[in-house]
Amino acid sequence: MSRSLEGRAIVITGAARGIGRECAVRFAREGADLALFDIGEDLVGVGYPLGAREQLAHTAELCEADGAAVVTAAVDVRDPTGVPAAVGAALERFGAIDGLVNNAGIAAPAGVAVHEMSEADWALMLDVDLSGAWRMIKAVAPGMVERRSGSIVNVSSTAGLVGYRHFSGYVAAKHGLIGLTKAAALDYAPHRVRVNALCPGSVRDDPLVEGRMLVEIARSLKLPDEEYEQVFLRDQPMNALVEPGDVASAALWLTGDGSCRVTGTVLTVDAGFTSR
């Protein structure tokens, strides 16, 4: 039985846990070889632990168990030299990069009104969640253009479509990521390189992938740990939180041949949240 990504090499950022891990495992099952990137350390200004090297190694083990060839790198997407170096190592291993899932991102610093954000907090949010994706595209696109083939998936958010109180930096970055997606899609369409955005809603923190984004957003909003899922659930027209696998399925479709004429689009996986 054929697998939809057989023989392709895909780069996934933020791959240590959560949506990134779910995408990596799903892509491995579909035959992809993988370059898995995550920061591997915490950042000053982000009030929760980021993906650890041990978690990234575990993601790699899960993918290798499904037959994928895997390379990993501890990469800070803010680093203008580290990003191309990591991409270069992936190219040396696999010969080409067929897809990129720009998933690396942070949900904090947040929890304050616009005028209460510091210069440093504002800059950090945009540098990771928006400029980091731009740096990754800058590193992988030349090879895709040369080969006239490739798919880039930028993981934005419903925060890229609507506003959220006390999350101005995150909202601005995710809106910007959708703008970057549309501009890049037009730049690369003549070269048959596709660029799309994926907007998840409230994604359940599945312990199997060590997800924790939703709980950190809840803490920024000062919601009780024992109640936050129910609070988010009230806003879901389908009366269900999004599962990491729902997002991975959408990313897989956008990466594969089933979406070969889809570019510059925004695919929302939010249980109907933005339809209200």
Side-chain angles (χ1 to χ4, degrees):
M1 183 167 151
S2 64
R3 299 188 290 177
S4 64
L5 297 181
E6 196 76 52
R8 301 185 193 185
I10 312 295
V11 176
I12 301 175
T13 67
R17 65 185 187 206
I19 290 171
R21 177 181 290 176
E22 186 73 25
C23 287
V25 172
R26 183 71 63 86
F27 284 27
R29 289 173 184 164
E30 288 298 322
D33 294 324
L34 297 162
L36 305 178
F37 300 167
D38 212 302
I39 189 168
E41 61 186 18
D42 295 339
L43 281 178
V44 175
V46 179
Y48 61 89
L50 298 181
R53 295 178 189 234
E54 295 80 8
Q55 291 173 310
L56 183 61
H58 183 54
T59 301
E61 290 169 1
L62 293 172
C63 295
E64 289 168 343
D66 281 314
V70 180
V71 295
T72 63
V75 181
D76 183 345
V77 293
R78 301 175 303 163
D79 185 348
T81 58
V83 166
V87 169
L91 284 168
E92 185 174 347
R93 173 68 181 276
F94 298 126
I97 291 172
D98 301 287
L100 164 65
V101 179
N102 258 327
N103 173 67
I106 55 176
V112 297
V114 173
H115 70 279
E116 296 174 311
M117 282 199 78
S118 70
E119 288 275 352
D121 287 351
W122 178 264
L124 175 61
M125 181 63 72
L126 267 64
D127 206 10
V128 175
D129 285 12
L130 177 56
S131 298
W134 167 75
R135 290 185 189 96
M136 288 299 307
I137 294 171
K138 185 177 174 65
V140 304
M144 292 180 174
V145 167
E146 183 178 355
R147 297 174 61 242
R148 295 183 61 78
S149 176
S151 176
I152 296 169
V153 179
N154 294 322
V155 181
S156 181
S157 164
T158 53
L161 301 170
V162 300
Y164 287 95
R165 185 168 175 258
H166 289 173
F167 275 82
S168 58
Y170 187 73
V171 168
K174 292 300 188 178
H175 270 72
L177 188 53
I178 289 177
L180 174 62
T181 297
K182 291 179 178 293
L186 293 176
D187 283 350
Y188 300 130
H191 308 285
R192 298 185 181 177
V193 176
R194 301 183 296 111
V195 188
N196 293 288
L198 184 55
C199 289
S202 297
V203 180
R204 185 175 70 87
D205 291 331
D206 187 344
L208 290 177
V209 294
E210 301 183 81
R212 62 180 301 155
M213 182 69 80
L214 196 60
V215 70
E216 298 304 338
I217 292 173
R219 286 174 182 165
S220 292
L221 295 171
K222 299 180 174 57
L223 299 176
D225 284 0
E226 64 276 9
E227 297 177 15
Y228 77 94
E229 283 196 358
Q230 289 303 313
V231 172
F232 285 113
L233 197 58
R234 290 174 202 154
D235 291 329
Q236 310 308 312
M238 293 186 72
N239 197 35
L241 297 175
V242 177
E243 296 291 334
D246 300 331
V247 184
S249 293
L252 178 63
W253 181 72
L254 287 173
T255 303
D257 292 340
S259 60
C260 64
R261 295 294 179 268
V262 178
T263 195
T265 197
V266 179
L267 179 57
T268 305
V269 184
D270 69 350
F273 175 79
T274 52
S275 296
R276 299 172 305 164

